[in-house]
Amino acid sequence: MRSRVLATIGLVLTIPFGRPAVRAQYTPQTNPESLPNQYPPPLPARRGPAPKIAFALAGEVALPGPLADGAPWVAEGSMFVPVAGGVARVAPAPGATAEIVPQATTPEGDGWVIAFGGTRRFRATAEGLVECEKRSSARKRWKRDWRIIAPNATLAPPLVVGPRLCYPGLDDRVTCVRASNGHRLWSVDLGDRLSRAIAAWPPLGSTPGRASRSDRSVEGEVLLVVPDDGVSLIALDAYDGTRLTSYDLPAAKNVFKSAPFVFAEGRIAVVRKGYKTDEAAVTLLDLVAAPDAKPAGPVPYTSPSPTPASPARR
């Protein structure tokens, strides 16, 4: 009797109920750090090879330090850096001289990044929310479209790159999601907190036939990131988050103290603080083709934080 019961139980356990379960694909072929939410993988097929690039030091422009509180900004082709004596205006060219501007106006904003022809806007909050609002053509007002609860605070504004929205966080990660619905495409751990804004390269208008980043491709796009430790500037492939190259500061140069800025001609500028209090400069870099260089590959994999698999709609 007992053997008959056991045989019956075994038979029941082998009978499939409905569709067979499909294992979620958390290890796509593109990058071990890519974290898709669903099957099949959300990354489209790549149309070309990953960028092969390297940083080249163009020069430095000395600043009348020490640096003051406040983030630098870019306007009218120049960089403005708060220093103890006021605001220093710097042209992104080797051999330039910093000029103190007594009445420079700090740009104001409400935290929203407007994209897609003004029909959508995005923001990240210190509470760890990444939000998208869509403009109603009928009522002429903004209405929430989607919202993500990030695993940690997101102090820097998000960045729209093609059909994607990318943002850094204090969980050490850069994350890219679909701008249309907030579904996560990839996330990489850079090993240190990320509170500064990230930048995209090449600049708008520098690629023939490419007038904006609202098209459907991120081929050739590079994300520039300065972690909070300030010892390096990292270039990530916007397609899948692969680490392409980095510019590491020599120990004597101390640390980067600002987000990276990209100018119209492709020049990259980052504020650097020296070992001495009054030593500061703007480091000027270029990204150049490196045909023989091999991509640095993805950063070492770590278990992702418990981010929701899909954004919460409310």
Side-chain angles (χ1 to χ4, degrees):
M1 181 67 179
R2 181 179 179 182
S3 60
R4 182 178 299 177
V5 172
L6 293 177
T8 303
I9 294 175
L11 178 62
V12 171
L13 291 178
T14 59
I15 298 176
F17 290 90
R19 293 184 178 181
V22 178
R23 183 181 298 275
Q25 185 168 347
Y26 287 103
T27 310
Q29 297 177 354
T30 54
N31 185 342
E33 274 284 58
S34 301
L35 302 173
N37 302 319
Q38 66 279 328
Y39 184 89
L43 292 178
R46 186 158 210 156
R47 296 179 296 181
K52 293 182 178 181
I53 53 176
F55 284 107
L57 178 64
E60 287 198 330
V61 178
L63 292 172
L67 298 173
D69 294 335
W73 71 92
V74 169
E76 300 178 352
S78 295
M79 189 173 185
F80 294 82
V81 184
V83 295
V87 175
R89 180 171 60 190
V90 178
T97 302
E99 174 190 7
I100 296 296
V101 183
Q103 296 181 344
T105 303
T106 304
E108 297 181 357
D110 57 4
W112 289 98
V113 176
I114 298 179
F116 295 98
T119 60
R120 292 195 186 204
R121 65 179 186 177
F122 310 88
R123 73 173 178 181
T125 71
E127 294 77 25
L129 298 178
V130 181
E131 300 176 309
C132 171
E133 290 187 348
K134 193 171 184 179
R135 188 172 181 83
S136 171
S137 57
R139 299 184 179 182
K140 303 296 182 182
R141 65 183 181 87
W142 294 100
K143 182 180 179 181
R144 178 181 295 166
D145 190 27
W146 54 260
R147 183 171 75 168
I148 295 172
I149 302 176
N152 212 320
T154 50
L155 303 183
L159 177 69
V160 178
V161 183
R164 303 180 180 185
L165 184 75
C166 303
Y167 56 91
L170 298 189
D171 58 347
D172 304 355
R173 292 179 173 271
V174 176
T175 301
C176 277
V177 301
R178 284 195 179 100
S180 60
N181 55 23
H183 290 174
R184 186 168 54 178
L185 295 169
W186 57 260
S187 181
V188 294
D189 188 335
L190 297 185
D192 195 65
R193 288 163 37 121
L194 305 171
S195 64
R196 302 184 179 109
I198 60 178
W201 184 96
L204 296 181
S206 63
T207 304
R210 185 73 172 278
S212 71
R213 286 198 164 89
S214 62
D215 61 20
R216 308 308 299 171
S217 172
V218 293
E219 296 285 334
E221 297 279 358
V222 176
L223 300 181
L224 302 175
V225 189
V226 175
D228 283 10
D229 60 14
V231 299
S232 62
L233 170 62
I234 300 171
L236 301 176
D237 187 352
Y239 170 77
D240 60 4
T242 297
R243 183 168 179 164
L244 298 172
T245 188
S246 65
Y247 181 81
D248 303 315
L249 275 178
K253 292 290 186 179
N254 216 4
V255 294
F256 288 131
K257 295 296 290 183
S258 79
F261 294 90
V262 180
F263 290 85
E265 67 278 8
R267 177 65 47 77
I268 301 164
V270 192
V271 175
R272 178 185 64 78
K273 178 182 178 297
Y275 179 76
K276 297 180 180 179
T277 303
D278 59 349
E279 182 186 352
V282 174
T283 300
L284 304 176
L285 299 163
D286 294 320
L287 272 176
V288 298
D292 297 330
K294 294 182 179 180
V299 295
Y301 179 80
T302 57
S303 177
S305 302
T307 308
S310 59
R313 284 183 174 270
R314 297 184 182 181

